[in-house]
């Protein structure tokens, strides 16, 4: 019963895609959660539940134009206009509207709140029977074009930890040197806003034409810890070959295991109850002149001052 978020592609015979804030998707997700966690069963062997991987930040991800015929567009447009006022606020004219980019900011703030409501609903359903299970957020990406408009403060109200992926190897493409600091930046900004422990997927894999050296991996792990991170998460495979690092690069694998052994013996730092440093960043960035938030100005300010 859900409405495809890519109706024009469906007409071409492609697979329909569904927005995770579609009521039908939420209802189906609840059924999955209740099926896995609904009984009063002993799940002490489960450490954590990890929500959906890499939410895109755009709902629907395709065919935002009204002529696409997606049934939910008028409803969402009405909500955006009620929240942010009439005129320029509302749905972008197209998915990559470059004429009125402010509409994307308003729309994505609306979407971030709706997505948080979805995650809150799932968390409440799990905790109804499993009080001891730790709940991690969706894996929020911080790659070159990623949006920073998720409400991490609101997110921290109902999850036990926030998971991020700093995409350090991809950051080096077109931005020399920038990826070197992205692991710390992603950890700190998500932790400061959510006030919850942060777990970071440090880039240990071959990706976007870049392969991290053992020294790179040690630096990424060090940044996560120095920025207040709770832990690091590894991908065990290389892309696009999808072969296990353990066999394709034994030296890199040995470094990963060495770091894991060290982290398991380190004492944990107690996070402060409140932040003592604030950073104000002007929105005079590419967010107001282009279709996506490229976050260069906020990134630099946060690394220097955060």
């Amino acid at each position: 019963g859900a409405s495809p978020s890519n109706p024009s592609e469906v007409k071409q015979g492609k697979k329909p895609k569904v927005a995770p804030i579609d009521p039908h998707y939420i209802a189906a997700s609840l059924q999955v959660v209740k099926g896995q966690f609904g009984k009063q069963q002993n799940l002490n062997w489960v450490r954590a539940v990890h929500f959906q991987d890499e939410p895109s930040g755009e709902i629907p991800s395709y065919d935002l134009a009204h002529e696409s015929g997606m049934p939910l567009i008028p409803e969402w447009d009405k909500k955006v206009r009620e929240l942010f006022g009439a005129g320029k606020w509302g749905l972008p004219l197209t998915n990559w509207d470059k004429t009125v980019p402010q509409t994307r900011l308003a729309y994505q703030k609306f979407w971030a709140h709706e997505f948080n409501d979805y995650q809150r609903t799932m968390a409440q359903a799990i905790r109804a029977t499993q009080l001891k299970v730790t709940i991690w957020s969706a894996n929020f990406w911080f790659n070159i074009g990623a949006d920073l408009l998720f409400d991490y403060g609101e997110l921290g109200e109902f999850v036990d930890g926030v998971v991020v992926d700093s995409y350090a190897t991809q950051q080096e493409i077109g931005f020399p040197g920038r990826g070197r600091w992205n692991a710390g930046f992603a950890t700190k900004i998500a932790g400061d806003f959510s006030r919850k422990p942060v777990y970071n997927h440090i880039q240990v894999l071959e990706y976007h034409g870049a392969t991290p050296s053992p020294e790179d991996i040690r630096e990424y792990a060090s940044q996560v810890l120095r920025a207040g991170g709770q832990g690091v998460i590894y991908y065990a495979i290389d892309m696009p070959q999808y072969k296990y690092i353990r066999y394709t690069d034994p030296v890199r694998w040995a470094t990963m295991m060495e770091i894991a052994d060290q982290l398991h013996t380190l004492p944990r730092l107690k996070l402060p109850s409140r932040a003592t440093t604030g950073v104000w960043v002007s929105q005079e960035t590419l967010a107001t002149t282009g279709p996506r938030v490229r976050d260069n100005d906020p990134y630099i300010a946060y690394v220097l001052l955060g």
Side-chain angles (χ1 to χ4, degrees):
S3 303
S5 63
N6 58 333
S8 66
E9 291 186 348
V10 173
K11 291 180 181 178
Q12 299 171 10
K14 296 184 179 180
K15 183 179 179 180
K17 299 181 179 181
V18 180
I21 64 174
D22 185 300
H24 297 84
Y25 184 94
I26 296 174
S29 298
L30 274 175
Q31 290 301 315
V32 172
V33 169
K34 290 178 180 178
Q36 293 179 338
F37 303 99
K39 300 177 181 179
Q40 295 289 346
Q41 53 190 336
N42 184 359
L43 293 180
N44 289 337
W45 52 276
V46 177
R47 179 190 176 191
V49 176
H50 187 355
F51 284 165
Q52 173 181 327
D53 183 51
E54 296 187 347
S56 68
E58 306 158 40
I59 297 299
S61 299
Y62 312 86
D63 296 321
L64 283 183
H66 283 265
E67 57 267 22
S68 71
M70 182 183 176
L72 289 174
I73 282 182
E75 177 184 339
W76 288 343
D77 200 352
K78 180 174 181 293
K79 289 183 179 179
V80 172
R81 292 180 184 277
E82 289 174 350
L83 289 170
F84 299 100
K88 61 183 179 182
W89 304 118
L91 294 183
L93 301 179
T94 67
N95 191 31
W96 300 107
D97 178 22
K98 297 181 180 180
T99 60
V100 193
Q102 293 89 343
T103 62
R104 286 187 60 83
L105 296 177
Y107 185 63
Q108 290 207 181
K109 285 177 71 67
F110 155 75
W111 181 86
H113 177 72
E114 293 287 318
F115 185 75
N116 276 345
D117 278 351
Y118 159 65
Q119 290 191 103
R120 182 186 289 106
T121 300
M122 299 303 112
Q124 290 173 343
I126 294 171
R127 289 197 174 102
T129 57
Q130 306 297 332
L131 297 177
K132 295 182 179 180
V133 173
T134 298
I135 297 178
W136 287 354
S137 73
N139 175 23
F140 293 98
W141 52 13
F142 284 78
N143 60 11
I144 288 177
D147 300 288
L148 300 183
L149 294 176
F150 292 102
D151 191 332
Y152 298 103
E154 184 179 60
L155 181 71
E157 296 173 2
F158 57 88
V159 297
D160 300 310
V162 177
V163 181
V164 297
D165 192 343
S166 42
Y167 275 78
T169 50
Q170 188 197 40
Q171 293 285 356
E172 297 288 357
I173 308 301
F175 295 87
R178 175 175 159 172
R180 179 63 69 169
W181 309 109
N182 211 54
F185 163 67
T187 301
K188 181 160 178 52
I189 194 170
D192 281 359
F193 289 148
S194 69
R195 302 185 188 278
K196 289 297 174 66
V198 176
Y199 301 81
N200 193 325
H201 284 269
I202 62 173
Q203 293 268 289
V204 299
L205 71 166
E206 185 178 306
Y207 192 61
H208 270 257
T211 303
S213 67
E215 290 72 25
D216 291 331
I217 298 172
R218 291 190 183 96
E219 176 62 31
Y220 300 152
S222 176
Q223 283 185 37
V224 170
L225 296 178
R226 284 184 284 145
Q230 176 70 20
V232 298
I233 302 174
Y234 293 145
Y235 288 115
I237 57 174
D238 271 334
M239 297 173 63
Q241 295 89 347
Y242 294 105
K243 296 179 180 179
Y244 285 99
I245 298 173
R246 179 176 182 180
Y247 306 109
T248 60
D249 195 330
V251 175
R252 189 159 27 123
W253 178 261
T255 301
M256 294 162 58
M257 295 301 99
E258 176 189 357
I259 292 173
D261 288 341
Q262 293 171 347
L263 293 187
H264 290 155
T265 60
L266 286 174
R268 293 291 184 265
L269 297 177
K270 184 178 181 180
L271 297 176
S273 59
R274 61 181 295 272
T276 56
T277 302
V279 178
W280 289 88
V281 181
S282 168
Q283 281 302 303
E284 189 60 35
T285 65
L286 287 178
T288 59
T289 57
R292 292 291 290 248
V293 179
R294 294 296 285 271
D295 62 68
N296 288 317
D297 294 349
Y299 173 85
I300 293 171
Y302 213 86
V303 168
L304 293 176
L305 305 175

